Amino acid sequence: MAEHIQEELDELDESNELYEHYRFVTDPGQKPLRIDKFLVNRVDNASRNKIQDAAAAGNIRVNDVPVKSNYKIKPNEVITIVMSFPRRELKIIAQDIPLDIPYEDDDLIIINKKPGMVVHPGHGNYTDTMVNALAWHLKDVELFNSEDPRPGLVHRIDKDTSGLLVVAKTEQAKNFLARQFFEKTSTRTYVALVWGQPKEDEGTIVGNIGRSLQDRKQMAVFPDGDRGKHAVTHYKVLERLGYVSLVECRLETGRTHQIRAHMKYIGHPLFNDERYGGHQILKGTTFTKYKQFVQNCFKILPRQALHAKTLGFVHPTSKEYIAFNTDIPDDMMEAIEKWRGYIAGREND
C-alpha cells in the first residue's frame, strides 16, 4: 500500500470525515527533528514536497492536532497521516474487457488505450481499468499478480487521453523499459488540438511542473524552478484552423499532465480540457452561430483533445529500436474535420 502514498496525497479533498492511513510513534529518545524529514524517511515513495503539501492541507497530525511541515517532533508522540477517504487494500480483479493491442511478444505488450479508460486502479477507480483488463489478458503471466496495482507499468496517460502505452510482461523487461523512460531515451509524440495559434511554428516549453498552489487537481508551471520537477515539451504546429491549432508535442520528460499544463502556460489550453479551462470558448467571435458550432464540437469530443500517437524505444531482448504509430481516434478526428469545414466556409464567404 505504501506505493500509493503519492497518489493518495494528491487526492485530498475537503470532506469533513477523515481516515487514518499511516501511524508512527516516536521513540522515547527521539531528538528534535522536522516532521517532514521524519516522514520522508518512513513513507515509501513520498517526496518531501508531497509531505509538505499534506501538512499544509492539515492532513499530518501529532497527537491528533494538525501541524506544519516544520514542526519538530519530540519523544513519545503519535504521528498520523489522515485522508478524506478510507484506506483500501487494493487487489487486482481480472476483468474480460476488450483491449486494442497493436503488438505483443514474450517481453511486452503495446496498448492503444481508448479515451475514458483509467490506466490503473486507485481511489475512486478500483475496477474497469486498463490494468484490470490486462490482468485478464495476461492471467498466466507471473508479473501480473493480485497484490501489485501497477504490474508491468512503466508509464501512463490520463483517463481521457487516448493512445499508446507499453506494458512489460517480465521483471527484466520492466526494468529495461523503465530505465529508458527515466533516462529520456524513449520517444513519445502526441497530437493535440489547442485554443489559438502559437506565434512560432515550432518551439520548446521549459518549466518545472508541480501541484498547483491554487487548485490541487491541477498541475502548474513554476518557471523559476522553486517547486515541481524539471519538464520539457517540444511542439510543432501541424495545422492552423482559425481559432484553434493542431499541434504535435514531443515529450522530453514525462510529468503528470505535462502537455496540458505546458500548453496552458503558453496561452494555448487544450480544446475541451475541463481541468485546465479549455472547455470554454477562449477564442473566436461573439456570434450565436459560432458559439453553437463550438458547443457541437465539445459534444463530438467530450474530453481533452490529446492523443498519444507514437511510441518508440529499444526492445529489452533484441536491443533494436522499435516504434509504433496509431491513427487519431474518431472523436478527435471528427472535431478536427468540423474545424476544417468551419475555416473553409469562412474563406468562401
Side-chain angles (χ1 to χ4, degrees), residues 3-4 90-94 99 107-109 111 119-122 129-139 141-156 165-171 173-175 177-178:
E3 290 184 3
H4 307 309
L90 286 177
K91 284 193 175 183
I92 301 303
I93 301 170
L99 289 171
D107 296 291
L108 56 89
I109 182 170
I111 305 294
V119 171
H120 58 74
T129 73
M130 191 187 80
V131 166
N132 294 114
L134 282 168
W136 177 277
H137 181 78
L138 302 174
K139 51 183 175 289
V141 176
E142 184 178 350
L143 186 61
F144 278 77
N145 64 77
S146 62
E147 303 300 327
D148 186 352
R150 303 178 187 180
L153 295 184
V154 294
H155 68 128
R156 66 180 185 178
L165 296 103
V166 59
V167 179
K169 294 170 68 175
T170 69
E171 282 293 344
K174 185 176 181 180
N175 292 333
L177 292 168

Side-chain angles (χ1 to χ4, degrees), residues 177-189:
L177 292 168
R179 188 178 307 114
Q180 293 183 64
F181 281 84
F182 177 76
E183 296 176 349
K184 309 176 184 65
T185 56
S186 61
T187 56
R188 289 169 288 169
T189 61

Side-chain angles (χ1 to χ4, degrees), residues 20-27 30-31 33-40 42-43 51 55 59-68 71-82:
E20 182 180 299
H21 282 232
Y22 298 91
R23 170 181 287 257
F24 305 95
V25 180
T26 59
D27 295 331
Q30 174 69 52
K31 295 181 180 180
L33 178 68
R34 283 179 58 119
I35 196 167
D36 53 355
K37 289 185 177 181
F38 176 86
L39 288 174
V40 80
R42 286 165 174 78
V43 181
I51 296 295
N59 291 79
I60 294 181
R61 303 188 171 198
V62 174
N63 299 329
D64 208 32
V65 177
V67 297
K68 296 182 179 180
Y71 174 85
K72 290 189 176 181
I73 59 175
K74 306 175 186 65
N76 300 313
E77 289 188 317
V78 178
I79 300 170
T80 56
I81 300 177
V82 296

